[in-house]
Amino acid sequence: AMLLCQTAIIEKDTGNVSLINTFSGFILREIPGPANPFTVFIQLVGGTGRYEIEARLHDLRRDQIIGMASGMQIEFKDRLRRINVMIPVPPVPLPHDGAYDLVVLANGQIVEKQTFTAKIYRPSPPQEEPEDA
């Protein structure tokens, strides 16, 4: 499973995970513009051994990678063990509205992908007050 969220918290005593404000897109005041920082939460199972985790932000319109985070390592000591990975993503400049992919790889192999959108904020027009009768 993979989710994008504002933040993720792991309870110290229980190990339970709380995901705060999951989302599937950004609403920006202007485009191009920066997306707010967020966290990628991914739960991995069924691995064996050590893996290097990498996340790539892929601009689908231009077919190019516009951001990347690497250097995180995990190790499965038991194939049945679940490993929770949280990848903090700093503010990322998004060059246009539309769709983007966030791709997570383990040892260079895609393990999960999440598509999200960016669109410009358009406030609703003010509502007219009804006239007194």
Side-chain angles (χ1 to χ4, degrees), residues 47-96:
T48 54
R50 185 176 296 260
Y51 294 85
E52 176 143 349
I53 303 297
E54 181 179 331
R56 296 179 184 168
L57 182 58
H58 188 194
D59 179 340
L60 295 177
R61 181 182 296 171
R62 296 179 180 165
D63 192 24
Q64 61 184 246
I65 295 171
I66 60 172
M68 187 165 48
S70 61
M72 178 181 284
Q73 292 191 6
I74 61 169
E75 184 174 0
F76 284 92
K77 295 181 181 179
D78 176 353
R79 191 168 182 76
L80 299 177
R81 183 174 174 222
R82 294 171 192 242
I83 296 181
N84 295 324
V85 178
M86 291 177 284
I87 304 168
V89 179
V92 177
L94 300 177
H96 58 79

Side-chain angles (χ1 to χ4, degrees), residues 5 7-11 14-22 41 84 86:
C5 58
T7 192
I9 301 166
I10 297 180
E11 296 289 328
T14 64
N16 291 338
V17 178
S18 295
L19 303 178
I20 311 303
N21 193 20
T22 62
F41 173 82
N84 295 324
M86 291 177 284

Side-chain angles (χ1 to χ4, degrees), residues 9 13 19 42 47 51 64 70 81 93 97 106 110 119-120 124:
I9 301 166
D13 295 332
L19 303 178
I42 185 165
Y51 294 85
Q64 61 184 246
S70 61
R81 183 174 174 222
D97 62 341
I110 295 174
K119 58 185 174 181
I120 195 153
S124 300

